[in-house]
Amino acid sequence: MPACHSHSLTPPLAAWFADQRGQPQGFQRAAWKAHAEGRSGLIHAPTGFGKTLAAWLGPLDEAMRDLPHDRPAPCRLLWITPLRALAADTLQALAEPIQHLGLPWEIAARTGDTSAYRRAKLRERLPFALITTPESLSLMISQPDFRRRLAGLTTVVLDEWHELLGSKRGVQTELALARLRRWFPELRTWGLSATLGNLDQAREALLGNRHPEGVTLTAPVIKPLEIETLIPQDIERFPWAGHLGTRMAGPVARRILQARTTLLFTNTRSQTELWFQEILAALPDLHGQIAMHHGSLDREERQRVEAGLKDGSLRCVVCTSSLDLGVDFAPVDQVIQVGSPKGIARLAQRAGRSGHQPGAKSRILGVPTHALELIEFAAARDGWEAREIEARIPLHQPLDVLVQHTLTCLLGQPDDPAELLQEFRTTRAFRDLDSTSWQWLVGFITSGGHALQAYPQYRKAHQGNDGLLHFDDAAAARLHRMNIGTITSDPAITLRFASGKSLGTVEESFISRIRPGQVFVFAGRQLELVRFHQLQATVRASTKKHRGQVATWNGGKSPLSNELASAIARRLHHPPSPAPEHRAVQPILDVQRRWSVLPGRDQLVVEFTRTREGEHLFIYPFAGRLVHEGLATLAAARLSRDIGESVDLTQNDYGFSLMAVRGLSLSEALIRSLLSPQDLLDDLLSAMNSAEMARRQFREIARVAGLLAPDLPGKRRSHRDLQVSSSLLFEVFTRYDPDNLLLDQARREILERQLEWTRLKATLDHLAQRPLHLIETERLTPMAFPLWADQLSAHLPAGDAHTRLEAMLARLEQEASQS
DNA sequence: GACCTGCTGCGGCGTG
């Protein structure tokens, strides 16, 4: 072994390690050594491979060398975790060696869950190691004497750094790190990350301008990942479209019986509700041992389920990505994914919830909900084997976060604007923040800007005679602390029994479709709505025989990742290796090939089909749903301008379709003009009603920047009249302060987040170079069918669409098997 | 305010 040997832990610590884990791994030794040399960096290893000890034993070892062993130690380490639930587990893990060695050094956690009493204690004295969240760290930064209490800090660790990266939470953390490093120039920063496509950028965001001195340490092990797919019995009768996949419930239930504990992931909350019912119905004997977990369930219920997983009393939990991360579930021995994996890293992350011990294999069972999803699982395996892991791109200059953070800093201590700017420029996110923008920001927080200068509540800071910026209005300070954080969400409706017990939340749009007396399914129960009044819904358990409709939410729409989309396109045309999924779906692919061609990445396939509804174009760029939405909107707007007819559109992860009663044709010139990159931005913005989108996006920005009065805890929204709505602010800025940089940010965020501008532009440029393969088909092909079905259900009453779909499906299946 | 399928995450305080 190379230089790694040159650093050895102090004997008692080394003995403890050997006793617990045997030989340290190379990357762990390397981390301890780098830490002892005063370096920082990123540690990258699969779950369960000892990242925690790699980051923890360095500072612990150092403290054992230079601190007395017989009395409490000053604060040396901050450990940042993105999840409250992880704080408790981390606390336990860090405490282990401390307890074993009998050191009187305190470890404590500080999150939103920490009691007022504990917080007061922590305000007196910080422990040797403090575990906290980015938001709580910001809150502490806003306390005037935090810096003094931290004196002696040597190390900060960012757990699950990949989780924060790519979001405003990540930027908030970058800024907090910059502050800590300004206070303590010798501070060492260690980030822990799962597999990620852009480790370099991750380290840049972690270390800011110290990036060049940093190291990246990777565990040399590649955790074996086994992706198996549940192949439908009769592929000829397996649906070409759909997303629920409940016809696979029987075989899935059998798998659940074969394992001790199963985690069953779905892609949406309502799918979780539905599958929970299906599994319960298939396995009535396991009543009480099957549970569900998603983000809209009451927190107590979720914690109960997490505890049940931990102690092994549950056989199966149906969940959404709410269990992607979190408490350590050593007992889980089977992971199932129902529906599209969406991304390679995502599937690997979920698979990693099983086989937690080093050396153990991660396994996941994929369950397709429609025929082509079989290909997706095979493609995810290809992608993993080729190490095509998705990147998480760090954000660039979100000024709303900087407005918030600047005020947070000033709350802690008055500061010189020039020095603040210098500090902020040490982060990756704001490294090229220009002085003009900074001056604008200072003006905005001290005066409210052009539009709001008449309103004192927007003048939060002032520049004193000392030249420093101050924030010392006690009432405003309290409001600011209540507003810290970058996570925003729409108000939700709490469902309660008459007793007051809360079950969780639904959206207003869902509950307002339910009439009192009607039954619906939520949290795995049949509930009858008693009344819905003042944003409170009262329910009671229903004993009615028929099952009501399952709750739905309008959540995020995560598109197929670029990496997985490419892997799918590649597998269709040049499969890198044989795969059972591919063999199984072959009959469907054969139908596609016979009636049309197989779309892929080498050429752009466009199908033209006439149905009873009209004429359809089906186009398959394989660029993910958001991009297809942008392309379809663009093409539809251009087309209807040309033909003077209204054009309907739909999109999914593989492609999009345009439909008009008449006027479509299969001409290369027409298609090329629809998809021309020329005037792209203008056409797109006007087609997508971007003004309205920006107005909506601005709400989040206004919230993060602290322009909206925070929702006071406990108070209902009836205080709305006191609130300045984000919409009004948007109007005011647009009219009286058009140069407001937050407006600009809203436009940028729309472009990147809703329209995936970069990917969309790249797709169009790529399409312009690909040959077109135009083909008129007599019938809807397997690729076209899901798009057509979507369109149908969007335009007809639900029952009607369903009947027609069934009939069409039956006919197509029949034809497919005959031809 | 739009969506009809669509994820997750924190924090403030006082009370049901």
Side-chain angles (χ1 to χ4, degrees), chain A residues 749-766:
Chain A
E749 286 186 4
I750 287 295
L751 225 45
E752 262 327 309
R753 283 206 222 167
Q754 325 281 299
L755 305 182
E756 281 205 295
W757 173 252
T758 313
R759 191 173 171 189
L760 192 148
K761 178 96 173 50
T763 304
L764 268 191
D765 291 342
H766 183 51

Side-chain angles (χ1 to χ4, degrees), chain A residues 334-446:
Chain A
Q334 175 171 255
V335 179
I336 301 180
Q337 163 70 33
V338 175
S340 168
K342 300 283 186 189
I344 295 157
R346 186 174 189 256
L347 194 66
Q349 170 79 40
R350 292 186 170 181
R353 305 302 336 228
S354 71
H356 243 176
Q357 311 73 25
K361 202 181 245 181
S362 285
R363 279 201 185 84
I364 193 160
L365 177 68
V367 179
T369 61
H370 65 251
L372 287 171
E373 254 169 23
L374 281 162
I375 287 290
E376 294 196 20
F377 286 109
R381 188 188 303 118
D382 299 341
W384 178 258
E385 276 158 17
R387 288 287 165 277
E388 288 159 353
I389 313 299
E390 289 85 2
R392 304 215 189 197
I393 311 294
L395 300 193
H396 181 64
Q397 273 188 34
L399 283 179
D400 53 346
V401 183
L402 192 63
V403 168
Q404 184 188 105
H405 180 74
T406 305
L407 291 168
T408 299
C409 290
L410 295 179
L411 211 41
Q413 57 186 59
D415 211 335
D416 178 69
E419 282 177 29
L420 272 178
L421 173 60
Q422 209 174 17
E423 171 185 330
F424 298 157
R425 278 184 181 159
T426 65
T427 63
R428 182 187 192 281
F430 296 101
R431 59 187 171 191
D432 46 12
L433 183 70
D434 57 59
S435 327
T436 320
S437 303
W438 173 244
Q439 270 152 26
W440 174 85
L441 192 150
V442 171
F444 188 68
I445 60 173
T446 51

Side-chain angles (χ1 to χ4, degrees), chain A residues 13 35-36 57-67 76 154-155 188:
Chain A
L13 203 51
H35 186 268
L57 294 199
L60 179 56
D61 176 65
E62 183 178 63
M64 288 183 65
R65 290 165 198 269
D66 64 12
L67 288 178
R76 280 292 182 91
T154 63
T155 313
R188 279 150 285 172

Side-chain angles (χ1 to χ4, degrees), chain A residues 492-806:
Chain A
I493 308 302
T494 306
L495 295 182
R496 286 185 197 283
F497 286 133
S499 66
K501 181 187 157 49
S502 153
L503 291 165
T505 61
V506 291
E507 286 171 11
E508 190 174 354
S509 59
F510 172 75
I511 201 72
S512 56
R513 288 200 305 268
I514 309 282
R515 288 185 306 278
Q518 265 190 325
V519 176
F520 62 99
V521 176
F522 174 84
R525 307 164 187 248
Q526 290 230 119
L527 300 173
E528 180 186 328
L529 181 65
V530 178
R531 77 177 157 269
F532 172 41
H533 179 60
Q534 296 236 324
L535 303 180
Q536 288 275 8
T538 310
V539 296
R540 66 168 152 248
S542 162
T543 49
K544 288 189 182 159
K545 273 278 186 296
H546 70 277
R547 205 194 271 177
Q549 52 174 308
V550 175
T552 58
W553 291 260
N554 287 313
K557 299 176 185 173
S558 48
L560 207 62
S561 78
N562 243 339
E563 286 76 2
L564 185 52
S566 317
I568 291 168
R570 193 171 57 217
R571 178 147 275 284
L572 284 176
H573 272 277
H574 320 285
S577 59
E581 297 87 352
H582 207 140
R583 271 197 301 282
V585 80
Q586 203 59 53
I588 313 273
L589 299 181
D590 288 342
V591 172
Q592 174 74 31
R593 217 179 272 125
R594 268 204 307 280
W595 295 359
S596 171
V597 290
L598 265 185
R601 280 267 165 119
D602 310 338
Q603 53 177 9
L604 179 62
V605 173
V606 182
E607 294 173 348
F608 176 80
T609 315
R610 286 192 181 83
T611 68
R612 222 192 310 171
E613 290 78 37
E615 301 172 342
H616 308 256
L617 285 173
F618 299 99
I619 304 173
Y620 309 104
F622 282 93
R625 155 173 206 114
L626 278 175
V627 165
H628 293 152
E629 185 177 359
L631 290 179
T633 311
L634 179 76
R638 288 173 171 176
L639 187 59
S640 73
R641 202 168 55 196
D642 288 356
I643 65 173
E645 290 267 349
S646 79
V647 175
D648 282 332
L649 53 92
T650 47
Q651 67 279 326
N652 61 21
D653 276 321
Y654 302 160
F656 63 93
S657 76
L658 303 174
M659 196 274 273
V661 177
R662 62 184 158 287
L664 299 196
S665 68
L666 200 56
S667 97
E668 168 143 9
L670 172 77
I671 310 283
R672 289 278 183 214
S673 75
L674 295 182
L675 298 178
S676 155
Q678 188 141 34
D679 299 326
L680 172 59
L681 189 56
D682 286 346
D683 283 2
L684 191 64
L685 290 182
S686 66
M688 297 215 70
N689 193 5
S690 61
E692 185 48 41
M693 292 171 89
R695 180 193 306 273
R696 243 177 296 146
Q697 189 66 34
F698 186 72
R699 184 164 60 185
E700 174 187 315
I701 291 171
R703 224 289 278 143
V704 172
L707 302 181
L708 303 179
D711 257 350
L712 295 175
K715 298 235 166 68
R716 303 304 309 174
R717 281 244 148 181
S718 53
H719 283 242
R720 191 174 271 176
D721 46 345
L722 293 177
Q723 293 185 9
V724 183
S725 80
S726 73
S727 199
L728 182 58
L729 279 175
F730 185 81
E731 291 305 326
V732 169
F733 287 154
T734 312
R735 201 172 303 174
Y736 302 107
D737 188 8
D739 297 330
N740 191 303
L741 293 181
L742 296 177
L743 288 179
D744 197 49
Q745 191 192 334
R747 289 183 212 110
R748 269 172 34 209
E749 286 186 4
I750 287 295
L751 225 45
E752 262 327 309
R753 283 206 222 167
Q754 325 281 299
L755 305 182
E756 281 205 295
W757 173 252
T758 313
R759 191 173 171 189
L760 192 148
K761 178 96 173 50
T763 304
L764 268 191
D765 291 342
H766 183 51
L767 291 184
Q769 284 156 29
R770 275 198 249 178
L772 288 185
H773 192 122
L774 311 179
I775 184 161
E776 180 164 350
T777 68
E778 250 174 74
R779 290 167 289 215
L780 294 166
T781 65
M783 301 284 302
F785 185 77
L787 288 165
W788 175 84
D790 259 9
Q791 187 153 45
L792 198 65
S793 53
H795 289 276
L796 291 173
D800 198 1
H802 191 67
T803 332
R804 291 208 48 200
L805 203 64
E806 293 276 281

Side-chain angles (χ1 to χ4, degrees), chain A residues 35 38-40 76-78 150 152-158 176-190 207 210 213:
Chain A
H35 186 268
R39 308 185 72 183
S40 296
R76 280 292 182 91
L77 174 79
L78 285 179
L150 274 184
L153 184 75
T154 63
T155 313
V156 54
V157 176
L158 286 300
L177 290 174
R179 171 123 290 217
L180 294 175
R181 281 192 287 257
R182 177 172 157 202
W183 286 346
F184 310 109
E186 302 295 306
L187 185 74
R188 279 150 285 172
T189 311
W190 288 99
L207 302 181
R210 307 266 185 93
E213 310 145 37

